[in-house]
Amino acid sequence: ETGVTQSPTHLIKTRGQQVTLRCSSQSGHNTVSWYQQALGQGPQFIFQYYREEENGRGNFPPRFSGLQFPNYSSELNVNALELDDSALYLCASSPGGGGYTFGSGTRLTVV
Amino acid sequence: LAKTTQPISMDSYEGQEVNITCSHNNIATNDYITWYQQFPSQGPRFIIQGYKTKVTNEVASLFIPADRKSSTLSLPRVSLSDTAVYYCLVGDDRAAGNKLTFGGGTRVLVKP
């Protein structure tokens, strides 16, 4: 079982729309990261939050943004969706070392 | 961040031992070696992490030579349910701001 819960599990959006994906981490996990995984590829790092502040970002445009809340939940927001944004979006949390716990992901399809 | 190289795929049979070797020639002093397992449409699952020598847990062993430029994940007596993609990662996930960098992974197929 996993202590990280993501919602929704599946989502279909139209090109140009905006989407918000949600993640609920384990209590005490102050670090949360978001990843994008295209079909057949390894997960690609989007950004990371530590105690509600962004402290690391991958090679993704500004239309990918996030928030982390005091209750260990977080959000990934994507504006102006493009077809290439179709992927599995993964949230991972950590108490600060020793491995990350991943959620099962949100499958986003942009049409 | 240290880059990793691992085989694209491996086939095995039920009951056999599977060994996956990962190369990480430019590993830094503070870096740990971590392996994740991923099933289709699921998030990666932490398997094992080590710094040097040998680490063993209930599902796998991790062998790291003295120079730490490579590591080998050993899965004893695999079953069909071990069919998955296995990722080798190198980095210091204990440090704030450090991300996990995934490569392409090794697709392991366990046959009956």
Side-chain angles (χ1 to χ4, degrees):
Chain A
E1 73 278 12
T2 177
V4 177
T5 305
Q6 292 188 243
S7 62
T9 54
H10 296 82
L11 195 57
I12 299 175
K13 287 287 191 177
T14 303
R15 188 172 49 184
Q17 285 188 315
Q18 178 268 344
V19 68
T20 298
L21 309 182
R22 294 180 171 81
C23 173
S24 178
S25 305
Q26 292 180 242
S27 178
H29 283 206
N30 295 314
T31 301
V32 64
S33 303
W34 285 88
Y35 290 79
Q36 179 195 67
Q37 186 173 26
L39 203 60
Q41 307 290 321
Q44 299 298 306
F45 175 75
I46 303 175
F47 46 59
Q48 177 172 281
Y49 281 79
Y50 176 73
R51 294 185 184 274
E52 302 162 50
E53 296 285 334
E54 183 181 302
N55 70 345
R57 189 174 184 93
N59 188 27
F60 281 82
R63 59 189 185 85
F64 286 78
S65 63
L67 287 171
Q68 185 186 24
F69 303 101
N71 64 352
Y72 304 107
S73 66
S74 61
E75 290 181 354
L76 164 65
N77 298 289
V78 186
N79 294 322
L81 283 167
E82 301 176 359
L83 297 180
D84 286 348
D85 295 334
S86 295
L88 180 68
Y89 288 85
L90 296 161
C91 168
S93 70
S94 169
Y100 279 74
T101 301
F102 281 80
S104 296
T106 294
R107 173 70 62 186
L108 173 65
T109 302
V110 182
V111 298
Chain B
L1 293 166
K3 181 180 177 180
T4 60
T5 302
Q6 52 185 123
I8 294 174
S9 64
M10 298 179 69
D11 288 358
S12 184
Y13 291 90
E14 282 189 293
Q16 289 190 334
E17 178 181 79
V18 171
N19 296 305
I20 309 171
T21 296
C22 179
S23 298
H24 28 80
N25 292 318
N26 58 341
I27 188 170
T29 302
N30 294 334
D31 287 344
Y32 284 74
I33 300 156
T34 311
W35 286 81
Y36 285 81
Q37 174 195 55
Q38 187 177 27
F39 299 113
S41 296
Q42 293 188 26
R45 182 177 74 100
F46 173 87
I47 300 175
I48 197 166
Q49 184 179 71
Y51 184 80
K52 62 180 180 180
T53 63
K54 177 183 175 182
V55 180
T56 298
N57 61 22
E58 62 277 8
V59 298
S61 294
L62 178 60
F63 298 91
I64 306 169
D67 66 6
R68 302 200 329 123
K69 293 184 182 299
S70 68
S71 59
T72 299
L73 174 72
S74 180
L75 306 172
R77 299 179 298 282
V78 294
S79 63
L80 297 178
S81 62
D82 292 318
T83 293
V85 178
Y86 293 82
Y87 294 97
C88 165
L89 286 79
V90 173
D92 184 4
D93 64 1
R94 286 163 168 73
N98 276 287
K99 61 185 181 183
L100 300 179
T101 301
F102 287 83
T106 297
R107 297 182 181 276
V108 173
L109 173 62
V110 179
K111 303 175 182 178

